Amino acid sequence: MAAQSQKYDLILDSLQKLLESQKLQTISVSEIAQTAGIGKGSIYYYFPSKDAILDALVERNYEQPLTTAKKLSTQTDIPPFTRMAMIFQACRNSSSEYVRFQEGKGMGAQEESFLHQKYLNHLITELKPVLAEIIRQGIANGEISFDNPEALAEIVLIVLTVKMDNTLIPSSKEEIENTIAGLISLLEKGTDNPPGSLNFLMA
């Protein structure tokens, strides 16, 4: 099992190495296999396609902050909004990971946009049920008043991921802070919390 895991990671490492000097669309499965020092057939044992390898690479790059966020959904002794603040921090960490992943790779705008879309999709898909569960727990405890936890989780995550990674709509630090402050104000009003009570989410 350990050997299989090593080969799986070796394939991901090889794609990441190739992305440092080549455009994604020019990289073939054969090249990934050659860089990994394994047969092409071995690649298909783990992945059905090059896209699947890329998806796994994106997933691996954000594994740690997302794992941290998922653990929070079970820690019901921590107030829901404190856990939401910790989720926001996980978003920031994931954003930093994304920037580090694509930094200096000389990607064109189209390729960068494609990778960015995969990143956003993965982050929102993974974090939405976690955040929705924390909101549901807050509703059950009478700490949050809101009818649709999934919708609220998605709204919060879309705003945070777009603003915090700061690539889709480049903004100054002040503009980002103003947007997050606006989101917090809406959260306070929408969940029946007094003004200023959730300012700690910006910390």
Side-chain angles (χ1 to χ4, degrees):
M1 192 73 175
Q4 282 192 348
S5 177
Q6 284 177 349
K7 194 171 281 190
Y8 180 94
D9 282 327
L10 181 61
I11 294 166
L12 300 187
D13 291 341
S14 299
L15 175 57
Q16 184 149 358
K17 184 178 179 182
L18 287 166
L19 281 169
E20 290 172 7
S21 58
Q22 291 179 237
K23 291 185 179 298
L24 178 65
Q25 61 265 34
T26 68
I27 298 171
S28 66
V29 172
S30 296
E31 278 184 287
I32 297 169
Q34 187 176 3
T35 303
I38 60 177
K40 186 176 176 181
S42 293
I43 298 265
Y44 289 114
Y45 175 80
Y46 294 95
F47 302 100
S49 65
K50 183 176 77 174
D51 277 349
I53 303 172
L54 182 62
D55 286 340
L57 180 58
V58 169
E59 184 175 335
R60 187 178 71 172
N61 279 348
Y62 310 122
E63 185 176 358
Q64 188 55 54
L66 290 172
T67 299
T68 300
K70 287 172 184 177
K71 283 179 183 173
L72 289 170
S73 67
T74 64
Q75 296 176 339
T76 53
D77 54 315
I78 302 173
F81 279 111
T82 302
R83 286 185 283 158
M84 282 177 71
M86 295 163 86
I87 294 280
F88 297 172
Q89 187 58 52
C91 283
R92 289 190 189 102
N93 292 344
S94 293
S95 175
S96 299
E97 287 295 312
Y98 171 74
V99 170
R100 188 176 63 78
F101 171 65
Q102 56 87 43
E103 216 167 41
K105 291 191 169 46
M107 295 179 190
Q110 186 176 359
E111 189 171 31
E112 204 169 293
S113 176
F114 175 70
L115 278 175
H116 191 256
Q117 185 180 353
K118 280 189 173 291
Y119 150 70
L120 285 179
N121 182 18
H122 179 65
L123 186 62
I124 292 171
T125 301
E126 291 294 315
L127 281 180
K128 180 182 171 183
V130 177
L131 190 54
E133 175 56 26
I134 291 172
I135 292 167
R136 269 194 297 274
Q137 291 166 4
I139 292 168
N141 294 337
E143 298 165 278
I144 296 175
S145 175
F146 202 80
D147 294 334
N148 193 330
E150 283 77 15
L152 181 58
E154 188 166 348
I155 290 164
V156 168
L157 286 169
I158 288 170
V159 173
L160 286 174
T161 50
V162 168
K163 296 310 289 186
M164 286 180 179
D165 65 39
N166 206 23
T167 55
L168 279 180
I169 307 171
S171 309
S172 68
K173 185 182 177 190
E174 185 181 359
E175 288 170 333
I176 292 170
E177 286 175 354
N178 286 340
T179 300
I180 303 301
L183 174 63
I184 289 168
S185 178
L186 287 172
L187 275 175
E188 287 169 345
K189 290 172 185 172
T191 59
D192 287 344
N193 279 271
S197 62
L198 303 184
N199 283 344
F200 72 93
L201 294 176
M202 287 189 70

